[in-house]
Amino acid sequence: MRGLAVASPLPPAAAAARRWPRASFSGRETSTQCWKYDLSQDRSLGGSLRIGQSQGSLLRHHSTNLLRPAAAISVEQDDINTYLPKGDMWSVHKFGGTCMGTPQRIQSVADIVLGDSSERKLVIVSAMSKVTDMMYNLVHKAQSRDDSYMIALEEVFEKHMAAAKDLLDGEDLASFLSQLHSDVSSLRAMLSAIYIAGHATESFSDFVVGHGELWSAQMLSYAIKKSGAPCSWMDTREVLVVKPSGPNQVDPDYLESENRLQKWFSRQPAEIIVATGFIASTAENIPTTLKRDGSDFSAAIIGSLVRARQVTIWTDVDGVFSADPRKVSEAVILSTLSYQEAWEMSYFGANVLHPRTIIPVMKDNIPIVIRNMFNISAPGTMICRQPANDNGDLDACVKSFATIDNLALVNVEGTGMAGVPGTSSAIFSVVKDVGANVIMISQASSEHSICFAVPEKEVAAVSAALHVRFREALAVGRLSKVEVINGCSILAAVGLRMASTPGVSAILFDALAKANINVRAIAQGCSEYNITVVLKQEDCVRALRAAHSRFFLSKTTLAVGIIGPGLIGGTLLNQLKDQAAVLKENMNIDLRVIGITGSSTMLLSDTGIDLTQWKELLRKEAEPADLANFVRHMSDNHVFPNKVLVDCTADTSVASHYYDWLKKGIHVITPNKKANSGPLDQYLKLRTLQRASYTHYFYEATVGAGLPIISTLRGLLETGDKILHIEGIFSGTLSYIFNNFEGTRTFSDVVAEAKEAGYTEPDPRDDLSGTDVARKVIILARESGLTLELSDIPVKSLVPEALAVRSCSSADEFMQKLPSFDEDWAKQRSEAEAAGEVLRYVGVVDAVNQKGQVELRRYKRDHPFAQLSGSDNIIAFTTSRYKEQPLIVRGPGAGAEVTAGGVFCDILRLASSLGAPS
């Protein structure tokens, strides 16, 4: 072209353009054709613009045909000497911008292509990383009359020149740089024209943007040629023909594209072809693009045209994940997906493939494999017709989960809708006229209401339009309301085998319920490829993790927070450490301790603390203890949907938080008796909440350490038995003392021995006072249905009045003065022995008379209570069924190992209730 002539003074950029030597509008020149453009016909660029004639004739055309090749392709006019082979000899590879991002990566792409043993290879490439955005920015700057577009164009040029210099050398480098200079010169002139007009047509924009692919394809072809392999590169605008099919969407013309590919191959029958992704032409030979995810679409279309054995999409991830790994850290790579599953996942926002990418290969049954260029050892994910399922497991029916956020639910409701034809049509006609995108529809079979989800940004217009359309129906009551529920998300479970497998929906909704998730709407097509639920956006990540963990992790993944890593808590942690692997292997229970807090320090983890070194970590990496922050860490952790706090303290203040924790959806397990033996109203409030929700509260170890006392009592009541009387030795400490208080031994010696052995509290009076036994009695009384306060239980203390805390300040002083009462104790023992009896300290629940008591009693030597040894507990249940012979539970009732074991048993009971095998 000779230059630009304008009737008015030029802006700076255009004036600079006049000084460019022979700025040409030619694009890439090949033996096929030379892309030349007649801008004078485009009135949208301004009437004052006159374009001088370029060398060679310019095509004359209508103003809509702005960009045309100088020579149209006609298969009929040329002899075809080499026919295009089709079939399994072809493998198609597609490399995205990240894979082509640097010279080193382009060389790695070349190595991958050369390492493919296929007879023929077709390689589709995107522009280098960020280049497409840079090219769109050029057009935006030019039409905004921003002079910096020239600097931006220079940056594009420098990026590719630098890449070529690192990658190529010799004649290849010179050839590429020559073409790059020519292309950039054309772009300068094009952008200058856009700058003057202040506007760019879609065709002009597509022409500019497509250069990124042209340059990356050429660089890769030269890199492959360096190894000595024959390679050609293809400008797919010469081959792929598309036609508009909707807003920002095109459909390929397979017949014309196949004819053009045959024509192209007859001229360049190479074994390796590097083709540009993203770009194509219209039937009128106007450059265009394949729009969103166009390079993947290019690969699928070309794979279909050559009937390839496989299309491999190379990216920067190991394959398709079972869920968004940014939201679910436990997401796994799927080995296979069906076309339909990939389709569904893409629709619901999963980063797999655009649904249209699947169409070309699906019709020819060509597999698509998603692989990681940066981890070639990973096999990736294969998308094919219908993958085989080897294990037949119910959970394998669901392949993946996906979510869509920022939605609103529109609910149209009214009795006048039932049985009235055309109501749904009227509703969705309104939505269509507004231009809103309906993501999901759900309607009750009663036809009383219909709801649908739309993007939140569109809901105001939808609501307003519906109110206008149905103003009369709302006024007279045929419709009761048009309701908008903002802040919603969609969770979709996708799987091809869901259709033929009963119980999938039950598992999904059970998982959501146990994670305390409320579902607002449900939709499932008759194909059953997906189940879609609408829920609060704030619950979406938790719901996703709950569902995913249920189907993809172990049957039960449980996040555990330990409060009080002392004697019992520390023993529990060691038991968890020793048993965790066995539970996961044999019972599919995955226990993760994500927090440990004591009174002064705490240790937190998002995914699980290494229990083999928990003591060392707590010492070295702990932070100051803060119970509120500890609970917040548990509550806010969305990696694991099921969370449990285990209170191993005897602290009243800790127990006072149970209600709030349960309300947050956190399960509670404890050997701490303070909550269940505290004020009756608080106990009833706690139990009412636990019964009304899906959160669990287990406290087996509050009575009898590891003995199944609470569970036995519940079993009796739940099966319809009636409790008459409960009597037992509930204190392991006092059991030990009275089992050993015989012969000539003094009472003070036995207490000292128990204290030395660790059976008593630091101050033995805490045990001898009987308060601990009274708490156990009140717990059993309340479990039996009695509404008693702790103060209603008369307690016979074993602490002499003179040695009570108010009279004797320290434990040491108590132990020093206790021998002075040995004579009294010896007298009681002698009296009992003379009658053939023994002394036992017991707690009693009299359910018939609605009372309880704690006292020292005498029992015959043949009574079960007289047969104990060590620190054993024994509890006798007298019921309607067990009236003549009480049901007896006996075993060790004290010690860190058995108490921690009881707590551990509750953790497994919780896991069982959450779905683990029992």
Side-chain angles (χ1 to χ4, degrees):
M1 194 179 87
R2 294 187 177 86
L4 296 172
V6 294
S8 58
L10 293 173
R18 292 189 67 179
R19 297 191 293 271
W20 297 332
R22 296 185 55 80
S24 170
F25 279 82
S26 324
R28 181 173 85 77
E29 296 190 3
T30 70
S31 59
T32 311
Q33 57 185 318
C34 174
W35 290 83
K36 296 180 182 296
Y37 308 98
D38 185 355
L39 302 186
S40 63
Q41 300 299 310
D42 186 3
R43 292 184 174 84
S44 67
L45 291 178
S48 62
L49 178 64
R50 302 194 304 276
I51 306 297
Q53 183 113 20
S54 65
Q55 293 177 347
S57 63
L58 293 177
L59 297 174
R60 313 301 290 177
H61 48 75
H62 298 294
S63 60
T64 54
N65 294 349
L66 305 178
L67 308 176
R68 294 184 61 183
I73 297 175
S74 174
V75 175
E76 291 80 13
Q77 293 176 359
D78 294 272
D79 293 327
I80 297 176
N81 300 319
T82 304
Y83 282 91
L84 175 70
K86 296 178 182 178
D88 286 354
M89 78 279 294
W90 286 102
S91 66
V92 175
H93 298 265
K94 179 265 174 178
F95 295 90
T98 304
C99 299
M100 300 288 291
T102 66
Q104 294 75 23
R105 291 181 182 179
I106 295 174
Q107 184 58 55
S108 296
V109 169
D111 294 339
I112 290 172
V113 173
L114 292 167
D116 182 355
S117 60
S118 301
E119 182 181 340
R120 295 182 179 275
K121 287 155 278 194
L122 237 162
V123 185
I124 314 299
V125 294
S126 299
M128 293 180 71
S129 179
K130 308 297 183 185
V131 166
T132 299
D133 290 339
M134 294 171 75
M135 302 303 282
Y136 274 119
N137 189 45
L138 285 176
V139 176
H140 175 73
K141 285 179 179 289
Q143 66 182 0
S144 301
R145 291 178 173 164
D146 180 348
D147 290 341
S148 66
Y149 80 85
M150 293 176 62
I151 298 172
L153 179 60
E154 189 65 23
E155 291 172 355
V156 172
F157 172 75
E158 292 289 344
K159 179 181 179 76
H160 288 85
M161 181 174 68
K165 288 182 177 179
D166 280 351
L167 182 67
L168 309 175
D169 53 33
E171 292 184 4
D172 290 344
L173 175 61
S175 178
F176 175 78
L177 291 180
S178 174
Q179 186 63 56
L180 179 65
H181 277 284
S182 175
D183 291 343
V184 170
S185 179
S186 296
L187 288 173
R188 283 196 187 100
M190 175 75 76
L191 293 167
S192 177
I194 293 171
Y195 180 102
I196 295 169
H199 171 70
T201 63
E202 182 179 357
S203 299
F204 273 57
S205 179
D206 288 346
F207 170 73
V208 172
V209 171
H211 277 74
E213 278 70 20
L214 294 172
W215 296 327
S216 63
Q218 292 174 67
M219 282 193 286
L220 177 58
S221 67
Y222 284 126
I224 292 172
K225 283 180 182 177
K226 281 198 306 182
S227 68
C231 178
S232 297
W233 79 275
M234 175 196 296
D235 180 349
T236 49
R237 295 177 302 186
E238 302 171 13
V239 172
L240 295 188
V241 178
V242 297
K243 49 191 174 184
S245 58
N248 203 35
Q249 186 171 326
V250 295
D251 285 338
D253 182 336
Y254 288 100
L255 182 60
E256 180 61 21
S257 297
E258 191 168 3
N259 289 337
R260 293 193 180 192
L261 179 59
Q262 173 65 73
K263 169 71 177 184
W264 187 95
F265 189 82
S266 70
R267 296 190 308 273
Q268 302 186 60
E271 294 179 0
I272 302 176
I273 300 171
V274 179
T276 55
F278 184 56
I279 58 178
S281 294
T282 67
E284 296 78 20
N285 297 318
I286 299 174
T288 187
T289 66
L290 298 181
K291 316 306 177 188
R292 179 187 168 193
D293 294 318
S295 293
D296 289 350
F297 198 17
S298 300
I301 296 169
I302 291 177
S304 174
L305 293 178
V306 299
R307 310 297 189 270
R309 171 180 55 83
Q310 177 176 291
V311 174
T312 304
I313 308 291
W314 293 89
T315 179
D316 56 358
V317 293
D318 286 345
V320 179
F321 282 92
S322 54
D324 187 340
R326 295 167 298 182
K327 297 177 180 178
V328 181
S329 61
E330 306 287 335
V332 297
I333 297 292
L334 302 173
S335 59
T336 58
L337 279 174
S338 70
Y339 294 125
Q340 290 88 349
E341 287 166 339
W343 224 334
E344 295 280 355
M345 290 174 65
S346 299
Y347 177 78
F348 286 103
N351 188 20
V352 185
L353 294 170
H354 193 279
R356 64 182 179 158
T357 302
I358 300 168
I359 297 172
V361 293
M362 185 176 176
K363 67 184 181 68
D364 293 311
N365 199 21
I366 299 170
I368 298 178
V369 180
I370 312 295
R371 293 192 62 187
N372 188 352
M373 174 184 156
F374 307 103
N375 183 17
I376 297 178
S377 62
T381 300
M382 176 176 285
I383 301 172
C384 52
R385 175 76 58 192
Q386 187 167 354
N389 186 2
D390 297 327
N391 56 22
D393 187 4
L394 174 67
D395 298 344
C397 299
V398 175
K399 281 293 187 72
S400 67
F401 294 90
T403 59
I404 304 176
D405 293 328
N406 303 312
L407 299 178
L409 200 61
V410 180
N411 181 43
V412 182
E413 187 175 311
T415 55
M417 294 173 60
V420 179
T423 304
S424 296
S425 174
I427 290 171
F428 292 109
S429 292
V430 170
V431 177
K432 175 180 177 294
D433 292 341
V434 170
N437 179 30
V438 176
I439 308 295
M440 188 210 80
I441 303 170
S442 180
Q443 183 175 13
S445 59
S446 65
E447 301 183 51
H448 176 69
S449 68
I450 184 168
C451 68
F452 54 94
V454 296
E456 208 162 25
K457 62 184 179 182
E458 298 174 355
V459 73
V462 170
S463 177
L466 287 172
H467 276 91
V468 171
R469 171 64 178 79
F470 295 104
R471 183 189 298 114
E472 182 181 341
L474 287 165
V476 300
R478 290 199 305 276
L479 291 184
S480 58
K481 62 181 176 180
V482 175
E483 179 187 18
V484 172
I485 304 172
N486 287 300
C488 293
S489 291
I490 276 179
L491 168 67
V494 175
L496 187 65
R497 292 183 59 245
M498 287 163 55
S500 58
T501 309
V504 178
S505 297
I507 294 173
L508 173 63
F509 291 114
D510 183 61
L512 296 178
K514 286 174 177 173
N516 217 26
I517 303 294
N518 183 42
V519 175
R520 288 180 162 173
I522 304 166
Q524 181 176 17
C526 61
S527 66
E528 297 187 56
Y529 291 154
N530 85 72
I531 302 171
T532 305
V533 297
V534 180
L535 31 78
K536 291 181 183 177
Q537 186 162 322
E538 64 194 60
D539 292 338
C540 186
V541 173
R542 188 156 51 94
L544 175 62
R545 289 169 177 165
H548 185 273
S549 68
R550 179 60 184 83
F551 283 92
F552 282 91
L553 302 184
S554 65
K555 293 287 183 185
T556 304
T557 303
L558 194 58
V560 182
I562 304 291
I563 303 173
L567 184 59
I568 294 174
T571 305
L572 174 62
L573 284 165
N574 290 332
Q575 291 177 355
L576 290 171
K577 173 196 69 177
D578 295 338
Q579 198 66 11
V582 176
L583 290 172
K584 191 169 184 180
E585 178 70 22
N586 296 342
M587 299 183 67
N588 222 358
I589 298 174
D590 189 2
L591 301 179
R592 309 282 187 94
V593 176
I594 65 170
I596 303 171
T597 183
S599 57
S600 57
T601 59
M602 65 181 182
L603 179 65
L604 306 177
S605 169
D606 287 333
T607 55
I609 295 167
D610 181 1
L611 295 185
T612 62
Q613 49 181 337
W614 71 266
K615 290 183 179 178
E616 182 181 356
L617 293 171
L618 188 60
R619 186 174 63 254
K620 291 182 177 180
E621 300 181 14
E623 55 189 272
D626 185 317
L627 187 59
N629 286 341
F630 185 81
V631 174
R632 192 176 302 113
H633 167 73
M634 293 289 298
S635 179
D636 292 348
N637 184 293
H638 296 304
V639 176
F640 309 108
N642 301 311
K643 288 159 278 193
V644 58
L645 281 166
V646 181
D647 174 21
C648 295
T649 73
D651 195 310
T652 303
S653 65
V654 174
S656 68
H657 294 291
Y658 293 174
Y659 182 86
D660 294 332
W661 298 345
L662 289 169
K663 206 166 185 180
K664 291 176 184 289
I666 302 174
H667 308 288
V668 176
I669 293 173
T670 185
N672 186 345
K673 294 176 280 292
K674 300 299 174 61
N676 285 12
S677 61
L680 180 62
D681 60 336
Q682 293 183 23
Y683 166 79
L684 294 174
K685 181 181 176 183
L686 187 63
R687 296 290 283 130
T688 300
L689 173 65
Q690 189 267 321
R691 291 188 183 104
S693 69
Y694 279 93
T695 47
H696 295 274
Y697 174 41
F698 292 127
Y699 43 86
E700 183 71 76
T702 57
V703 181
L707 296 178
I709 296 173
I710 299 289
S711 56
T712 298
L713 176 56
R714 283 187 175 176
L716 293 170
L717 293 170
E718 289 169 0
T719 56
D721 204 350
K722 183 179 180 181
I723 303 298
L724 302 177
H725 190 85
I726 302 173
E727 185 173 349
I729 296 173
F730 295 104
S731 169
T733 301
L734 296 178
S735 177
Y736 179 88
I737 289 173
F738 285 101
N739 288 339
N740 288 277
F741 182 46
E742 56 187 9
T744 60
R745 299 195 67 183
T746 64
F747 187 76
S748 62
D749 283 345
V750 176
V751 173
E753 180 182 275
K755 185 175 186 295
E756 183 69 24
Y759 285 115
T760 73
E761 295 294 332
D763 188 340
R765 288 174 295 185
D766 292 342
D767 298 292
L768 296 171
S769 68
T771 303
D772 183 68
V773 176
R775 289 188 181 279
K776 295 176 181 180
V777 168
I778 201 69
I779 290 171
L780 292 177
R782 288 173 175 177
E783 288 290 316
S784 302
L786 278 62
T787 54
L788 299 176
E789 293 281 9
L790 185 60
S791 59
D792 295 330
I793 307 296
V795 180
K796 176 62 178 177
S797 175
L798 301 181
V799 180
E801 187 67 27
L803 299 185
V805 175
R806 61 179 177 274
S807 305
C808 187
S809 59
S810 70
D812 290 340
E813 184 182 355
F814 167 78
M815 292 302 296
Q816 289 171 5
K817 294 181 178 180
L818 184 60
S820 62
F821 294 88
D822 282 344
E823 188 176 337
D824 295 338
W825 281 108
K827 181 180 178 181
Q828 292 187 61
R829 179 179 61 193
S830 297
E831 291 174 353
E833 288 176 346
E837 297 173 337
V838 296
L839 299 175
R840 295 293 184 260
Y841 195 74
V842 298
V844 178
V845 176
D846 185 349
V848 175
N849 296 307
Q850 301 277 303
K851 65 180 183 179
Q853 63 189 101
V854 176
E855 62 184 4
L856 184 66
R857 288 186 175 183
R858 286 159 47 169
Y859 294 89
K860 293 293 182 181
R861 286 194 174 275
D862 61 352
H863 192 280
F865 285 17
Q867 310 300 314
L868 299 184
S869 61
S871 62
D872 280 4
N873 282 185
I874 186 168
I875 297 89
F877 294 94
T878 303
T879 72
S880 296
R881 295 176 188 158
Y882 296 93
K883 186 179 292 186
E884 302 301 323
Q885 177 121 5
L887 174 63
I888 292 178
V889 178
R890 173 182 170 175
E897 287 290 338
V898 293
T899 304
V903 175
F904 198 166
C905 193
D906 270 348
I907 293 174
L908 298 183
R909 189 175 290 115
L910 171 62
S912 179
S913 70
L914 294 173
S918 56

